[in-house]
């Protein structure tokens, strides 16, 4: 593929997706500003229709969001007068929360009212088990489990074009068909998932600010 073809393809996708992505291009985070670089990368993926990359990066965004929410919840969000105090402020919260699993992060965030019951349910049942395990862990089993065990297909022959026969295949266990199903799923779910996590950032920031009032 030539450079000009690549450029044309990129421009076409950016023009198609820009209006939908434009509201996410300049987030005004008050606490979680360190997430700006991740947001920029995800926006680029959305603009270019990189759906699986969008989901995988959003998985990272979510895990990082919940961890820093717990860290700020314990360390505080107020100004620090002496920068020499920064290490002591963040050392213990980072030790406690920096390497915990997503499951524990979700539970802890609910414990501290950083997320609601409904958000906890969505994060556990839909995001952790499907989107996170399905893409970051490359486990398609739960995403595809409700598909039929057999699909009727038709096999043709180049040597005998008039010969067509029925075949029945389980597309949930064949890597080629798994990839097709996962691509279709990612195309439908990537942007709604990103929007959910993007909006969750602002909700968590609001709740963190309420803890100091």
């Amino acid at each position: 593929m030539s450079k000009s073809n690549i450029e044309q393809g990129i421009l076409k996708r950016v023009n198609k997706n820009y209006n939908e992505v434009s509201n996410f291009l300049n987030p005004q985070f008050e606490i979680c500003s360190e997430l700006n670089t991740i947001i920029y990368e995800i926006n680029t993926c959305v603009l270019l229709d990189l759906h699986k990359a969008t989901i995988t990066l959003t998985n990272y965004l979510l895990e990082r969001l919940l961890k820093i929410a717990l860290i700020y919840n314990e360390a505080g969000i107020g100004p620090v007068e002496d920068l020499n105090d920064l290490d002591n402020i963040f050392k213990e919260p980072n030790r406690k929360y920096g390497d915990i699993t997503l499951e524990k992060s979700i539970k802890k965030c609910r414990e501290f009212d950083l997320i609601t019951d409904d958000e906890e349910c969505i994060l556990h049942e839909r995001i952790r088990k499907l989107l996170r395990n399905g893409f970051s862990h490359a486990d398609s089993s739960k995403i595809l489990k409700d598909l039929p065990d057999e699909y009727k297909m038709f096999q043709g022959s180049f040597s005998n074009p008039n010969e067509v026969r029925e075949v029945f295949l389980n597309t949930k266990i064949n890597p080629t068909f798994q990839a097709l199903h996962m691509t279709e799923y990612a195309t439908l779910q990537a942007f709604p998932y990103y929007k959910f996590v993007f909006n969750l950032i602002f909700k968590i920031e609001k709740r963190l600010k309420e803890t100091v009032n």
Side-chain angles (χ1 to χ4, degrees):
M1 183 180 295
S2 68
K3 180 182 177 183
S4 62
N5 285 338
I6 294 173
E7 290 173 341
Q8 290 171 13
I10 290 174
L11 183 60
K12 180 179 179 181
R13 286 173 173 80
V14 170
N15 288 334
K16 176 174 69 75
N17 296 321
Y18 179 80
N19 287 339
E20 193 169 31
V21 182
S22 59
N23 291 332
F24 301 83
L25 296 178
N26 297 294
Q28 302 296 317
F29 301 137
E30 296 182 54
I31 300 169
C32 304
S33 59
E34 60 263 50
L35 299 178
N36 284 339
T37 57
I38 309 171
I39 294 294
Y40 171 81
E41 293 182 24
I42 297 174
N43 286 335
T44 302
C45 291
V46 175
L47 284 168
L48 298 180
D49 282 337
L50 303 176
H51 306 297
K52 288 188 282 293
T54 296
I55 290 176
T56 304
L57 268 177
T58 304
N59 288 340
Y60 175 80
L61 173 66
L62 173 63
E63 295 217 34
R64 187 62 185 155
L65 166 64
L66 298 183
K67 287 180 178 181
I68 63 175
L70 292 167
I71 289 171
Y72 281 126
N73 185 65
E74 183 164 320
I77 59 173
V80 177
E81 294 184 4
D82 188 348
L83 290 181
N84 290 314
D85 294 334
L86 272 178
D87 286 355
N88 287 332
I89 291 172
F90 287 104
K91 182 177 181 180
E92 183 59 16
N94 187 70
R95 183 195 66 80
K96 288 171 64 175
Y97 303 118
D99 63 351
I100 62 175
T101 65
L102 178 59
E103 184 176 10
K104 289 182 179 178
S105 291
I106 295 169
K107 289 180 179 178
K108 280 293 182 182
C109 281
R110 181 67 196 99
E111 178 183 328
F112 293 121
D113 292 323
L114 296 172
I115 58 174
T116 65
D117 285 336
D118 287 343
E119 290 163 352
E120 180 186 25
C121 182
I122 292 170
L123 291 173
H124 261 310
E125 298 302 322
R126 183 159 182 270
I127 291 176
R128 186 178 67 85
K129 293 182 179 180
L130 294 179
L131 291 163
R132 190 262 202 150
N133 288 349
F135 290 90
S136 290
H137 291 177
D139 177 7
S140 63
S141 59
K142 290 186 174 61
I143 291 176
L144 306 184
K145 68 181 178 65
D146 292 328
L147 293 178
D149 290 338
E150 284 189 342
Y151 271 94
K152 182 169 72 172
M153 300 184 181
F154 298 92
Q155 181 180 359
S157 171
F158 287 111
S159 60
N160 189 355
N162 295 322
E163 180 183 327
V164 177
R165 67 186 185 93
E166 290 184 354
V167 294
F168 294 88
L169 298 175
N170 185 345
T171 59
K172 295 185 291 187
I173 62 174
N174 182 297
T176 299
F177 293 114
Q178 284 175 342
L180 294 173
H181 288 309
M182 294 296 284
T183 295
E184 181 181 14
Y185 184 88
T187 301
L188 294 173
Q189 299 297 330
F191 193 51
Y193 175 33
Y194 172 46
K195 287 194 291 186
F196 173 83
V197 177
F198 184 91
N199 290 324
L200 185 62
I201 298 172
F202 292 99
K203 293 176 182 178
I204 287 177
E205 285 195 331
K206 181 176 182 290
R207 293 159 190 162
L208 283 170
K209 287 187 289 184
E210 289 171 351
T211 64
V212 299
N213 294 330

